[in-house]
């Protein structure tokens, strides 16, 4: 996630995302890469493996599934607690499953200002992460940074929460979730004028002495339209591709996304190769 408020949600985050199905998301990413990536030659990872950058990696569920599939991983998140969970999960996975797996690199950075030492072959930014950048200039800067660090022909795969998700599914509603050691009370407000959804949460976590510790959490997400995404992509020098039609490629079979399209809109942007110009659908 790109929101520092997720720091306090870290201990309970995987419970809240227990329906995530990382394998389905990894399948989707790999299918998109196989169809649309034009990257040539060996990857920038160790021994020529594909180097994947996961922006807003959270507790690393999708990153680590991609690691299992042979990718080298860099995960970036602003919340230290999320990264601690990701590192612990990676250590357990390497100890229990395969000690030969490369160690992922998890970095605590703001995804709208991240810095790397070199380029990467594939970038993902999933689970509404960009919506947490409620200032459009920060979102635009993220696209420019992705274009800067992405190898020619490589893909940026991302999703954005739909207007329906923010205004109706979350809307002006209250949620109450109880787990064995955590209880979450969630009050949501959506403002049509700003198109910002604000969530005020109270998380109670049971301690070893049986008492509960309270954390107050505030999270905001902003709706961004497809037109805005096209503008950011064009300004960054990225070519936006429609995963359903395959434009500008001839792709007759749609790749189904891993989550309902009514709740999230999925995008692919590609960094053009040196001899490839930009093309866009009409707005």
């Amino acid at each position: 996630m790109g929101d520092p408020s997720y720091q306090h949600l870290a201990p309970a985050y995987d419970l809240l995302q227990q329906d995530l199905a990382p394998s389905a998301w990894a399948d989707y990413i790999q299918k998109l890469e196989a169809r649309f990536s034009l990257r040539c030659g060996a990857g920038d990872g160790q021994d020529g493996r594909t180097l994947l950058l996961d922006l807003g990696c959270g507790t690393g569920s999708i990153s680590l599934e991609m690691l299992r599939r042979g990718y080298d991983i860099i995960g970036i998140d602003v919340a230290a607690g999320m990264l601690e969970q990701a590192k612990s999960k990676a250590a357990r996975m390497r100890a229990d499953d395969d000690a030969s797996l490369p160690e992922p690199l998890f970095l605590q950075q703001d995804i709208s200002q991240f810095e790397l030492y070199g380029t990467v072959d594939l970038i993902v930014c999933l689970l509404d992460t960009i919506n947490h950048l409620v200032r459009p200039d920060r979102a635009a800067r993220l696209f420019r940074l992705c274009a800067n660090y992405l190898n020619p022909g490589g893909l940026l795969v991302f999703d954005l929460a739909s207007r329906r998700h923010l205004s109706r599914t979350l809307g002006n509603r209250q949620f109450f979730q109880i787990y064995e050691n955590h209880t979450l009370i969630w009050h949501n407000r959506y403002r049509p004028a700003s198109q910002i959804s604000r969530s005020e949460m109270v998380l109670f976590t049971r301690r070893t002495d049986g008492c509960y510790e309270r954390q107050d959490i505030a999270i905001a997400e902003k709706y961004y339209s497809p037109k805005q995404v096209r503008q950011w992509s064009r300004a960054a020098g990225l070519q936006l591709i429609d995963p359903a039609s395959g434009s500008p490629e001839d792709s007759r079979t749609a790749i189904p996304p891993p989550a309902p399209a009514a709740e999230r809109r999925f995008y692919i942007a590609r960094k053009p190769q040196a001899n490839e110009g930009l093309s866009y659908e009409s707005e």
Side-chain angles (χ1 to χ4, degrees), residues 252-268:
R252 290 165 289 181
T253 304
I255 299 174
E263 301 296 322
R264 285 191 176 98
R265 181 165 181 141
F266 291 82
Y267 295 89
I268 314 163

Side-chain angles (χ1 to χ4, degrees), residues 10 67 73 100 112 126 173 179 188 197 220 267:
L67 182 72
I73 300 298
S100 67
S112 69
L126 303 169
R173 301 178 61 191
Y179 305 98
N188 207 80
S197 171
Y267 295 89

Side-chain angles (χ1 to χ4, degrees), residues 21-148:
S23 60
W25 288 77
D27 287 345
Y28 181 67
I29 294 166
Q30 286 191 295
K31 289 175 182 177
L32 293 178
E33 185 188 24
R35 178 174 296 179
F36 297 114
S37 177
L38 298 179
R39 185 179 57 81
C40 299
D44 281 351
Q46 187 175 356
D47 299 325
R49 289 189 291 268
T50 299
L51 181 56
L52 181 149
L53 171 63
D54 186 355
L55 294 173
C57 64
T59 61
S61 296
I62 295 175
S63 294
L64 297 179
E65 181 61 31
M66 297 302 288
L67 182 72
R68 287 191 181 95
R69 299 182 183 213
Y71 292 74
D72 278 8
I73 300 298
I74 300 174
I76 292 179
D77 203 283
V78 73
M82 290 289 194
L83 296 176
E84 290 170 6
Q85 296 286 329
K87 291 174 182 177
S88 295
K89 288 162 65 174
R92 290 195 301 270
M93 186 181 78
R94 295 177 75 241
D96 297 341
D97 298 342
D98 188 351
S100 67
L101 287 172
E103 187 171 354
L105 175 63
F106 290 112
L107 303 173
Q108 184 182 6
Q109 295 189 41
D110 180 338
I111 61 169
S112 69
Q113 302 182 68
F114 71 90
E115 295 182 356
L116 300 176
Y117 286 111
T119 54
V120 297
D121 305 307
L122 174 64
I123 301 176
V124 299
C125 189
L126 303 169
L127 302 175
D128 311 349
T129 292
I130 294 175
N131 294 100
H132 290 81
L133 303 176
V134 296
R135 282 175 37 197
D137 63 307
R138 293 183 66 205
R141 186 165 61 231
L142 179 145
F143 277 76
R144 294 195 299 271
L145 288 170
C146 288
N148 181 58

Side-chain angles (χ1 to χ4, degrees), residues 223-233 240 267 283:
Y223 170 73
Y224 289 117
S225 69
K227 180 178 180 180
Q228 181 69 78
V229 172
R230 287 194 293 270
Q231 292 172 348
W232 289 333
S233 299
L240 204 60
Y267 295 89
E283 299 184 2

